[in-house]
Amino acid sequence: MQFYSLPNLIRRGLRGHRDWTPAWRKAEPKPSYDVVIVGAGGHGLATAYYLAKLHGVTNVAVLERGWLGGGNIGRNTAIVRSNYLWDASAHIYEFSLKLWEGLSQELNYNVMFSQRGLLNIGHSEQEMRDLARRVGANQLNGIDAELLSTHEVSKLVPILNTSPHTRYPVLGGTLQRRGGVARHDAVAWGYARAADALGVDIVENCEVTGIRTANGRVTSLETTRGEIRAGAVGLVVAGNASVLASMAGIRLPIQSHPLQALVTEPLKPVFDPVVMSSAVHVYIHQTDRGELVLGAGIDAPVSYDLNGNFRIIEHVLAAVCELFPIFSRVRMLRQWAGTVDVCPDASPIISGTPIKGLFMNCGWGTGGFKATPGSGWVFAHTLAHQEPHPLNEPFSLDRFTTGALIDEHGAAAVAH
Amino acid sequence: MSQPFRLTQGGRIHRDEPLQFTFDGRPIDAFRGDTVASALLANGVTLVGRSFKYHRPRGIVSAGAEDPNAFVQLGRGARTLPNRLATVTPATPGLEVRHVNAWPSLDFDLMSAFGLAAPFIPAGFYYKTLMWPRRFWPLYEHFLRHAAGLGHAPDAPDPDRYDHVHAHCDVLVVGAGAAGLAAARAAAQTGARVIVADEQAKFGGGLLSTSERVDGLPAPQWADAATAQLSSASDVTLLPNTTAFGLYESNLVLLAERLHTDQPDNAGAESGARVWRVLPRQIVLATGAHERPLLFANNDRPGVMLAGAISTYVNRYAVVTGSRAVLFTNNDSAYRTALDLVEAEVPVAAIADVRVDPDGILPAQTRAQGIPIHTGAVVVQAHGRGRLAAAELCSLDGAPLGTVECDLLGVSGGFAPALHLHAQAGAPMTWNPQIAAFAPQPSHDIHPAGAVTGQLDLASALRQGTAAGAAAAAAAGCSNGHTPAAPQAAETPTSDLKPYWLPPGDLARTKPQFVDVHEDVTLDDLRLSLREGFESIEHVKRYTTLGMGPDQGKLANPLATGVIAELLGRDPASVGTPRHRPAYSPVSLGAIAGRHIGELADPVRVTPMQDWHESAGTRFENVGQWRRAWYYPHPGESMHEAVARECLAVRHRVGILDYSTLGKIEVTGPDAGEFLDRVYTNAWKRLRPGRCRYGLMLGKDGMIFDDGVTARLDHQRYLMFTSTANAAPVLAWLEQWLQTEWTDLRVYLTSVSEHWSNIALAGPRSREVLAAAGTDIPLAREDFPFMTFREGTVAGVPARVFRISFSGELSYEINVPADRARHVWEALFDAGRSFGITPYGTETMHVLRAEKGFIIVGQETDGSVTPEDVGLGRLLSRRKDFLGKRSLSRPDSVRPDRKQLVGLLTDDPAQVLPEGGHVVDAPGRRRPLPMRGHVTSSYFSPVLGRSIALAMVAGGRAALGERLYVATLDDDRWLPARSCHPVFYDPQGARQHV
Amino acid sequence: MLLIPCPWCGPREDDEFTFGGEADIPRPADPDALTDEQWADYLFMRDNRRGRHREQWCHTAGCRRWFIVERDTVTNEILGASTYGNSS
């Protein structure tokens, strides 16, 4: 792997950058692997990287139907935080956040993780109670969190409309200073490059069309590039989780929905932190390029369509114009959607299945990006040891049978 | 005259209406009909901006929405418009135009130092560096952030407002050029309802800037006549200044219409815009094509323009954009520009044509003008700093052909169909080798016509437009049997285009050749991207930022497809193009939001007593959409004091509460009792008419969904109260069960929440107040006991009175028709004066119910709480099934260490625990510190003279009396408390029975 | 945007409707007879199909009737609509 650094950049720059080599090989699939991961998104690639790095499992393939990073890792709004309410969530997201804090160095790839702070604002007495509850839980879980007054919110983001005369005045907020954003595509590319360097085969344009089992154990995958035998299989395919699982006869508690986002034209910097309001379903931040990035709530119907319903955009932008009146004359440049896999309790499934050797990592819904490093870490552990890491034990498929849900809808402030 | 580049005659400008605006403070003379760009060019202003990354000087490239450079800031203050294109902004008197992205000035931009570092900051350089030392990233980022961005956001709220229009039509024609106008005419003559939208102020598109003729008339005149004819037709709506920016499933087309674009108020192009949501049956896509730039070194120098734009400025605006021109082309169209320039007396020093033997009519005519034409030749480099000074030519095999002095270089790499709308909807497109670009495939309801199909000549556009308009109308069910004749134009035989993507050999490798001028993405950046394995077009886009600027890569993407294909040695069709996303041209957030802001953001729901509350100085709180009376402070009273006074008034005398916001559903029919049995956890069929019962409703997962009292009004009629917030969800839930599962039940649901207002009288004197207000209902305890209901009149108004209590006191909830509620409220209040009646709000209501240990759904519960958890297991019927029942026996539902409702009493009675505060066994600094639960409700109880709290604590019920600590947000402060039974006041419930 | 063909009111924009999830998941007649796994399957497990999907919609801002729509979840093409047999 070519080392990325300023001296190297200058040295190669003097030679016209002609001697850079591919960030990852375009691998041909081998007939057999110890572990096959389906889905070269953030979570899948991170899983492959940690399998090789931490567990010495390098005979690994990552299969991707299209181009690497073309799913939700390339479509999300890039927000990273760990201020979740329930212990199980808080622990895994905080573990992930700690990994984020050293990820650029770990991967030798600048993922531009920017801890510019994440502000949740509250608009009603009940919402403020919920926010206080969450801040308290975060603090006792060792996660940085602050409860802010309206005045403090206003000082942090002066362009936010904190007038008491709006329809839903800002009554206060919470701040996680270590939260922020990262360059989403770079996360996929950084993990791909690092995994490839450790020997992992990344196979693009290779669609899985069937899952073969024998005696209750997974044996191989049928793909558009031939059959591939596998000791263990990890399905990490987000919106398509149900489709893949059904190939093995497994039903999942997941529904797939479009989740829309949009970006505006670039502006000179106007605010720093990420601002989220769950009451009006908005999250917004300004990228280093100067664009405003906005996310919305999911489209209600189950759908794999990648356009989304424009009504949702209208509602989000109305809320944005309410909260940020100076953005009314700023223009939407581009709008898109991803397919998110939503569990009934808005928490993921990182788990074995009734089929031996077949593991799922899915159900991240609207919030998977931030979990990428942690999710990969614990899923690698799960695949390597054929049993869960303590951090993902609560996120079993079994919880839907026992009823031990981790209901992050409860505090809606963490729905995204 | 101060417009040295304005021709003395011609053009479609209004020379009798001169006007002046400013660019960076400098006055610019213009005429009505000019764009900001045409006026700047007329005044010899060639430098309009600096590029995004390297801050290179940039000029106007095009005459339309595809321009990658002409981004300017319009106006100032609240009305400023950042990042508007000078090429589509009408020049208006007094308009303030400023540059973006240069400091301190456009001419002297210190940030152009980035250009010096260009060899070391190629595409994606930031992924490879700025990682050390780790703690410096915020500093690096601060610098990157402030260097990036273009214009400035306004500094005050938007004073303008925006509307939405919902429209249906048979045929929507997008684009009013030759094809669009012909299509609209053909469709309109069938009687179809037609909407025609065009992004420009004047209909005509390319007709307005060509010297060709249609049906014997000069093209612009024909366009005017066709437009006039359409505007007089019934059922035809013409929308100039309107950009179709999105095409969605079900053929939803979104249009952004700019209004008042000619107003001299500095408002600029988009104030008062309207967004149209059009649902056409059929769509004619006549969106034209964008001319494709060509690669050569320094191809971004001001003075390098699209050849077609040069013609547009000459013919439409009477502006010459240089004094000595060179043209570089791979097709015939640039020859028309050459002829236009000759006509405008601008010398054309040379034409470099990639093709070896161009044999069309236009090259022949040009040759006849004596213009030197180099065939098999290309421009390899533009010379000049700050502005073009010369073009360096060579042959296709690399032999130098000399350097030609010029200040204008027109380029034409062919035309790429503007198929953005078509592609947004995911409709198929195919690679057309004839034009070396993607073209849309027609579908059953989208009819492409004109240049968007790849046919570039006027005669074809008119023919295709006519056919498309007729076909669309027929497909929409409108046809009068005959297809109109297409308007006629001279056929112009053209010679084929020769695709040209990469300069021959290794020419001019040291100078940048820009593929995406806006984003400063060079040919070397694309090479680097491919070299590093970023080969998919989407990878190239994301790695290099190709096409990600505010121009959305309209010029860059069609060029990049060919360049990448050639670099990879692949078929361009397999390379593809980045996914087209809405919006075609950017649309302001305010226009998309429309009127759903300010007072109309979300309706405010109020009760009939709202005016009374306001005149009483009430403080309100938002509860969902409702604005509810929170507390009623006397002058000088704090919230705490007011609430304490209200609480004691209810406990000792009588209070009055506006409880109209509760949901009310009438459940009627022979099977109403059976239905309630299924949806509530407890039994209902045996409830006697006239009696009330508290019920719990669970989700299928067994978790508490809603609670409330239901009364049996008569044998087949119940009135169900829901919580305020759940009024609509409960109705929807019940309807769904009845309509989709229990279709055999004869039950009918009616929401009567808005019809009946609810006034609660609570407190030991409430019976006397009700009597004093006048009622025909016997009020004696035996006649009207607790948990019953009576019908009668109150203060002369028909009323349903329920003896139920959310405060634990003697209480009457009086339901009266909403239009009489204010009268009854005042009558009760007047009658209560002598008893010391006190209005109380939601805060006091919450304190009173907490003293009694009554839960509030959504406060004590959060979607993960079962009836057992809150001590309501007695309401779970064992003898019948009910929704959610099965879930209560799952392993997790019967865990003994589930969180359970308990009371908390602080050691310090004055200490009110923080709501949301977490409960632990012992304080500590260890993190994570295990949490037992959290405080759900916490108040100072005036009647008890101490604080009380409700909490959900794991295993709490079995350990009542245990020592617990509540965390505060201050690490060192822990509040000791003991758990207790959650009913703090009148645990026997005697007071409500009196 | 979807144009939902309400069997009673005709095609209307989808913002008049509420989506009610997958159709044909009847509540078991005797929940107590089910194992926890079977109950979980009823509660939570969904086909979530790519392609033809039968689903429930309610014309909330119209006639408030629930009905079944068949839709392709990839293209969002509506393939048909039907009423619940006995609902009047």
Side-chain angles (χ1 to χ4, degrees):
Chain A
M1 184 171 89
Q2 288 176 322
F3 191 68
Y4 288 169
S5 68
L6 183 62
N8 246 338
L9 193 65
I10 291 172
R11 199 173 311 127
R12 289 167 203 271
L14 291 172
R15 297 198 291 267
H17 298 286
R18 281 175 220 214
D19 42 7
W20 291 108
T21 56
W24 63 87
R25 295 166 294 128
K26 305 237 171 285
E28 286 297 315
K30 293 189 288 190
S32 171
Y33 290 93
D34 294 341
V35 177
V36 175
I37 291 158
V38 183
H43 292 241
L45 293 165
T47 304
Y49 169 72
Y50 292 117
L51 263 176
K53 173 84 189 294
L54 302 175
H55 305 283
V57 184
T58 56
N59 186 21
V60 174
V62 184
L63 309 184
E64 170 56 48
R65 179 177 63 167
W67 41 281
L68 180 152
N72 293 342
I73 188 76
R75 297 168 184 275
N76 62 75
T77 48
I79 297 169
V80 176
R81 62 188 180 86
S82 66
N83 55 353
Y84 278 69
L85 174 67
W86 300 107
D87 293 351
S89 314
H91 293 154
I92 196 167
Y93 287 105
E94 175 62 13
F95 178 73
S96 195
L97 180 52
K98 290 206 172 87
L99 293 176
W100 275 110
E101 287 170 330
L103 194 60
S104 294
Q105 290 72 26
E106 166 81 19
L107 300 178
N108 180 232
Y109 205 99
N110 191 351
V111 299
M112 305 172 90
F113 178 46
S114 169
Q115 293 180 289
R116 65 182 61 162
L118 183 134
L119 175 70
N120 284 97
I121 51 179
H123 304 270
S124 70
E125 299 297 321
Q126 183 58 43
E127 210 180 343
M128 289 312 297
R129 269 190 288 270
D130 292 338
L131 290 178
R133 176 183 173 194
R134 184 153 60 78
V135 165
N138 292 159
Q139 291 186 352
L140 294 186
N141 272 322
I143 295 168
D144 76 300
E146 296 162 49
L147 195 62
L148 304 188
S149 67
T150 307
H151 178 67
E152 289 166 315
V153 168
S154 178
K155 263 185 13 197
L156 194 66
V157 185
I159 60 169
L160 193 63
N161 181 5
T162 49
S163 150
H165 305 298
T166 59
R167 178 66 183 89
Y168 293 111
V170 176
L171 302 186
T174 71
L175 177 65
Q176 182 176 26
R177 292 189 191 271
R178 288 162 63 241
V181 296
R183 174 77 186 96
H184 55 179
D185 293 316
V187 177
W189 302 336
Y191 272 118
R193 171 170 165 269
D196 174 86
L198 294 171
V200 171
D201 280 356
I202 298 166
V203 188
E204 292 174 86
N205 302 308
C206 178
E207 183 173 356
V208 172
T209 54
I211 298 173
R212 291 193 185 169
T213 59
N215 305 322
R217 181 164 193 98
V218 69
T219 56
S220 68
L221 297 174
E222 296 164 21
T223 80
T224 50
R225 296 177 71 172
E227 185 177 345
I228 300 173
R229 290 194 303 283
V233 172
L235 301 180
V236 200
V237 293
N240 288 303
S242 302
V243 178
L244 269 288
S246 72
M247 291 178 189
I250 296 170
R251 269 157 64 82
L252 294 176
I254 282 180
Q255 302 197 63
S256 297
H257 300 269
L259 177 65
Q260 300 184 61
L262 65 100
V263 63
T264 71
E265 57 198 347
L267 301 169
K268 289 296 174 194
V270 277
F271 72 119
D272 278 332
V274 181
V275 178
M276 306 177 67
S277 165
S278 60
V280 293
H281 283 298
V282 171
Y283 34 112
I284 180 168
H285 64 88
Q286 188 173 19
T287 68
D288 288 347
R289 282 169 54 84
E291 302 147 328
L292 306 176
V293 173
L294 285 103
I298 59 170
D299 285 25
V302 166
S303 180
Y304 294 84
D305 140 76
L306 284 176
N307 289 316
N309 189 332
F310 196 72
R311 286 277 181 212
I312 305 240
I313 300 293
E314 289 176 5
H315 291 313
V316 166
L317 293 183
V320 166
C321 291
E322 276 290 283
L323 291 175
F324 296 91
I326 69 164
F327 289 161
S328 171
R329 296 168 90 83
V330 173
R331 298 189 297 177
M332 176 181 92
L333 188 58
R334 207 165 37 243
Q335 171 245 317
W336 67 93
T339 309
V340 296
D341 41 335
V342 178
C343 272
D345 58 355
S347 288
I349 296 166
I350 318 167
S351 174
T353 67
I355 293 174
K356 285 199 188 64
L358 183 65
F359 296 83
M360 301 285 316
N361 184 350
C362 60
W364 290 95
T366 61
F369 175 69
K370 65 181 83 69
T372 305
S375 162
W377 181 296
V378 300
F379 198 48
H381 178 105
T382 306
L383 285 164
H385 297 274
Q386 309 262 318
E387 64 177 33
H389 185 279
L391 282 173
N392 65 310
E393 217 156 356
F395 297 97
S396 70
L397 189 51
D398 191 45
R399 74 178 187 272
F400 297 95
T401 302
T402 64
L405 303 195
I406 304 155
D407 194 353
E408 290 290 347
H409 286 309
V414 289
H416 297 292
Chain B
M1 160 165 158
S2 63
Q3 302 180 37
F5 292 87
R6 182 81 70 180
L7 297 168
T8 50
Q9 54 183 5
R12 308 266 301 167
I13 46 167
H14 301 265
R15 289 177 195 264
D16 52 343
E17 294 182 56
L19 59 92
Q20 202 173 58
F21 65 91
T22 62
F23 179 59
D24 282 345
R26 170 183 160 191
I28 302 289
D29 288 313
F31 296 109
R32 191 163 77 78
D34 263 325
T35 62
V36 167
S38 67
L40 288 173
L41 289 165
N43 285 271
V45 177
T46 52
L47 177 63
V48 295
R50 291 276 173 170
S51 68
F52 194 72
K53 186 174 172 187
Y54 301 131
H55 288 259
R56 288 169 65 96
R58 291 289 165 79
I60 290 158
V61 169
S62 80
E66 69 274 30
D67 203 279
N69 288 339
F71 292 98
V72 291
Q73 182 104 18
L74 303 179
R76 60 172 62 237
R79 276 223 154 85
T80 193
L81 294 165
N83 307 335
R84 264 34 179 198
L85 273 177
T87 48
V88 299
T89 302
T92 50
L95 183 67
E96 275 188 69
V97 181
R98 281 169 295 144
H99 74 267
V100 296
N101 205 32
W103 187 86
S105 78
L106 198 49
D107 291 314
F108 180 72
D109 179 10
L110 282 179
M111 295 202 286
S112 59
F114 283 111
L116 299 176
F120 309 110
I121 53 173
F125 76 92
Y126 28 76
Y127 301 130
K128 296 188 176 114
T129 182
L130 307 180
M131 286 180 274
W132 301 271
R134 188 169 127 184
R135 66 175 191 284
F136 274 33
W137 169 247
L139 188 72
Y140 300 141
E141 191 183 29
H142 179 82
F143 186 68
L144 287 177
R145 266 174 105 70
H146 284 80
L150 290 177
H152 292 270
D155 57 12
D158 192 345
D160 290 337
R161 69 174 194 210
Y162 308 93
D163 286 303
H164 286 176
V165 184
H166 296 248
H168 295 256
C169 64
D170 295 310
V171 178
L172 170 68
V173 179
V174 183
L181 286 175
R185 277 176 20 139
Q189 63 90 31
T190 67
R193 286 177 305 161
V194 178
I195 295 177
V196 191
D198 191 278
E199 63 186 355
Q200 298 207 26
K202 280 198 69 68
F203 276 13
L207 293 171
L208 303 179
S209 52
T210 180
S211 44
E212 292 169 273
R213 301 175 83 83
V214 180
D215 280 350
L217 292 173
Q221 276 183 37
W222 183 85
D224 286 350
T227 307
Q229 190 193 345
L230 284 170
S231 69
S232 65
S234 61
D235 276 344
V236 175
T237 306
L238 303 184
L239 297 174
N241 285 313
T242 302
T243 304
F245 67 90
L247 172 56
Y248 292 81
E249 62 212 359
S250 309
N251 281 348
L252 172 69
V253 183
L254 301 178
L255 314 175
E257 180 187 15
R258 296 171 294 282
L259 301 171
H260 315 303
T261 52
D262 52 354
Q263 277 185 7
D265 64 356
N266 268 6
E270 212 171 14
S271 78
R274 283 200 291 227
V275 167
W276 290 65
R277 298 173 60 93
V278 185
L279 273 177
R281 290 184 202 278
Q282 297 281 311
I283 298 168
V284 173
L285 206 62
T287 44
H290 295 139
E291 199 160 20
R292 198 164 33 206
L294 291 166
L295 284 189
F296 49 89
N298 292 332
N299 59 341
D300 63 327
R301 282 283 177 252
V304 177
M305 296 180 77
L306 295 172
I310 295 172
S311 286
T312 299
Y313 285 113
V314 167
N315 293 325
R316 184 163 173 194
Y317 301 102
V319 172
V320 293
T321 49
S323 48
R324 184 178 156 89
V326 168
L327 295 165
F328 175 23
T329 188
N330 67 347
N331 67 90
D332 278 6
S333 68
Y335 290 90
R336 197 180 289 285
T337 301
L339 295 171
D340 288 335
L341 285 170
V342 168
E343 179 81 18
E345 297 177 10
V346 176
V348 179
I351 297 180
D353 192 326
V354 176
R355 299 170 298 176
V356 181
D357 52 351
D359 57 358
I361 286 176
L362 291 168
Q365 289 174 353
T366 308
R367 203 170 278 120
Q369 293 284 344
I371 294 171
I373 300 176
H374 303 269
T375 57
V378 298
V379 171
V380 284
Q381 182 165 348
H383 292 280
R385 292 177 66 83
R387 154 115 230 199
L388 178 70
E392 184 182 331
L393 276 57
C394 80
S395 69
L396 273 177
D397 50 19
L401 292 172
T403 297
V404 184
E405 272 182 40
C406 60
D407 61 357
L408 177 63
L409 173 50
V411 298
S412 179
F415 288 80
L419 44 62
H420 305 68
L421 284 181
H422 185 80
Q424 281 172 17
M429 45 192 187
T430 44
W431 180 258
N432 179 342
Q434 206 118 53
I435 56 167
F438 287 102
Q441 270 181 26
S443 67
H444 67 279
D445 42 16
I446 300 182
H447 309 262
V452 72
T453 67
Q455 290 284 343
L456 296 167
D457 66 294
L458 181 54
S460 300
L462 294 165
R463 264 196 307 273
Q464 285 184 336
T466 303
C478 310
S479 178
N480 58 4
H482 76 279
T483 304
Q488 297 297 308
E491 305 284 344
T492 326
T494 54
S495 44
D496 287 346
L497 157 151
K498 177 176 160 67
Y500 174 78
W501 308 113
L502 292 180
D506 236 11
L507 289 169
R509 281 291 295 266
T510 55
K511 302 276 177 21
Q513 309 174 67
F514 290 95
V515 178
D516 185 333
V517 177
H518 184 272
E519 290 289 298
D520 279 345
V521 176
T522 65
L523 176 59
D524 277 349
D525 287 328
L526 293 195
R527 286 197 168 109
L528 176 64
S529 169
L530 301 178
R531 188 176 296 136
E532 296 195 88
F534 295 94
E535 290 180 2
S536 153
I537 188 80
E538 291 285 350
H539 278 158
V540 176
K541 167 188 155 186
R542 286 150 191 265
Y543 190 66
T544 66
T545 74
L546 170 80
M548 292 178 77
D551 60 335
Q552 289 267 53
K554 290 187 184 72
L555 297 182
N557 286 343
L559 174 61
T561 295
V563 170
I564 293 167
E566 193 145 315
L567 289 174
L568 289 173
R570 273 169 44 187
D571 175 18
S574 72
V575 169
T577 181
R579 175 82 189 246
H580 291 81
R581 300 272 177 212
Y584 169 71
S585 283
V587 185
S588 77
L589 307 191
I592 296 171
R595 294 289 194 95
H596 304 290
I597 57 169
E599 287 185 339
L600 300 178
D602 198 15
V604 176
R605 296 178 75 183
V606 296
T607 74
M609 279 73 87
Q610 178 69 10
D611 292 348
W612 191 95
H613 299 321
E614 278 174 18
S615 65
T618 310
R619 296 288 308 274
F620 294 93
E621 72 165 327
N622 284 315
V623 180
Q625 287 180 320
W626 289 99
R627 188 151 291 163
R628 294 186 71 180
W630 194 12
Y631 59 98
Y632 297 76
H634 288 170
E637 247 183 0
S638 68
M639 177 176 176
H640 177 79
E641 291 161 348
V643 171
R645 175 178 49 72
E646 292 172 17
C647 285
L648 290 174
V650 175
R651 291 284 178 230
H652 297 320
R653 296 188 303 279
V654 59
I656 184 168
L657 170 74
D658 180 357
Y659 214 176
S660 305
T661 60
L662 280 185
K664 303 164 205 83
I665 301 167
E666 282 201 14
V667 183
T668 59
D671 299 318
E674 168 65 21
F675 178 62
L676 293 178
D677 263 2
R678 296 185 190 183
V679 298
Y680 273 132
T681 62
N682 45 353
W684 291 84
K685 272 187 281 206
R686 301 240 289 261
L687 184 72
R688 291 202 306 278
R691 295 201 63 88
C692 309
R693 182 168 285 170
Y694 175 75
L696 265 185
M697 219 178 265
L698 311 184
K700 288 188 226 180
D701 59 358
M703 303 302 150
I704 294 177
F705 164 41
D706 200 47
D707 69 343
V709 167
T710 289
R712 189 165 192 176
L713 301 181
D714 60 39
H715 187 62
Q716 293 194 5
R717 198 143 71 121
Y718 295 79
L719 179 67
M720 172 189 287
F721 288 99
T722 76
S723 64
T724 298
N726 275 335
V730 167
L731 180 67
W733 169 252
L734 301 181
E735 283 178 332
Q736 185 168 13
W737 284 105
L738 276 179
Q739 293 183 32
T740 68
E741 295 259 358
W742 302 330
T743 55
D744 55 324
L745 289 189
R746 290 159 301 165
V747 177
Y748 311 96
L749 304 174
T750 311
S751 167
V752 294
S753 302
E754 303 281 353
H755 309 70
W756 294 91
S757 290
N758 187 8
I759 302 164
L761 277 181
R765 313 295 296 270
S766 53
R767 182 178 285 128
E768 294 158 82
V769 173
L770 182 52
T775 178
D776 56 1
I777 300 169
L779 296 178
R781 180 183 169 181
E782 323 66 72
D783 296 326
F784 189 1
F786 185 54
M787 292 308 274
T788 62
F789 123 92
R790 296 289 180 266
E791 255 174 318
T793 60
V794 172
V797 174
R800 293 167 170 175
V801 182
F802 302 84
R803 240 202 95 179
I804 55 182
S805 179
F806 198 39
S807 58
E809 296 296 331
L810 170 67
S811 168
Y812 299 90
E813 293 194 8
I814 302 156
N815 281 212
V816 291
D819 61 341
R820 308 298 302 280
R822 172 81 186 265
H823 161 77
V824 175
W825 173 274
E826 285 180 20
L828 288 166
F829 193 74
D830 288 343
R833 277 183 206 279
S834 53
F835 302 96
I837 194 167
T838 300
Y840 68 100
T842 52
E843 187 68 14
T844 291
M845 177 185 86
H846 285 185
V847 176
L848 297 173
R849 65 90 203 178
E851 289 170 343
K852 290 292 297 172
F854 295 151
I855 62 162
I856 288 186
V857 170
Q859 186 162 346
E860 271 64 42
T861 72
D862 59 8
S864 67
V865 174
T866 68
E868 284 286 359
D869 295 343
V870 290
L872 294 174
R874 64 179 187 278
L875 295 179
L876 303 174
S877 168
R878 298 224 176 93
R879 274 185 288 220
K880 58 155 187 137
D881 189 18
F882 54 84
L883 294 180
K885 186 179 191 184
R886 175 65 183 80
S887 293
L888 296 175
S889 58
R890 293 177 301 172
D892 196 71
S893 306
V894 297
R895 261 191 304 122
D897 61 342
R898 287 184 65 86
K899 288 185 187 172
Q900 292 153 341
L901 184 71
V902 298
L904 287 183
L905 289 174
T906 47
D907 291 11
D908 172 4
Q911 176 68 55
V912 178
L913 293 171
E915 286 181 344
H918 290 269
V919 177
V920 301
D921 288 328
R925 292 191 161 272
R926 184 165 53 91
R927 297 289 179 275
L929 189 70
M931 287 168 261
R932 287 277 301 281
H934 72 284
V935 175
T936 57
S937 300
S938 175
Y939 308 96
F940 188 82
S941 163
V943 74
L944 298 170
R946 62 154 301 135
S947 71
I948 57 168
L950 297 173
M952 295 296 294
V953 174
R957 196 173 302 131
L960 288 187
E962 67 180 322
R963 156 67 65 207
L964 294 165
Y965 294 84
V966 173
T968 68
L969 298 184
D970 171 356
D971 273 359
D972 293 320
R973 212 163 139 253
W974 300 84
L975 306 175
R978 278 188 192 283
S979 71
C980 62
H981 191 269
V983 182
F984 299 94
Y985 185 69
D986 185 25
Q988 275 69 48
R991 299 180 66 88
Q992 61 201 10
H993 285 280
V994 295
Chain C
M1 189 213 56
L2 302 172
L3 272 182
I4 309 274
C6 172
W8 287 276
C9 307
R12 296 287 188 277
E13 261 198 59
D14 53 8
D15 64 336
E16 293 185 15
F17 297 82
T18 304
F19 179 70
E22 224 162 282
D24 313 318
I25 307 177
R27 187 169 189 270
D30 184 4
D32 283 335
L34 302 184
T35 63
D36 287 341
E37 285 76 14
Q38 288 167 325
W39 182 245
D41 193 81
Y42 161 70
L43 280 185
F44 297 124
M45 303 303 163
R46 299 292 177 263
D47 287 347
N48 193 26
R49 210 167 276 138
R50 235 187 125 89
R52 251 180 136 81
H53 189 252
R54 273 169 61 84
E55 60 200 21
Q56 310 180 83
W57 287 87
C58 178
H59 195 182
T60 322
C63 62
R64 292 195 73 90
R65 299 293 185 87
W66 283 93
F67 56 95
I68 294 175
V69 168
E70 205 166 332
R71 179 176 57 100
D72 186 306
T73 58
V74 178
T75 63
N76 274 344
E77 188 188 354
I78 307 265
L79 306 165
S82 54
T83 61
Y84 280 92
N86 209 13
S87 64
S88 52

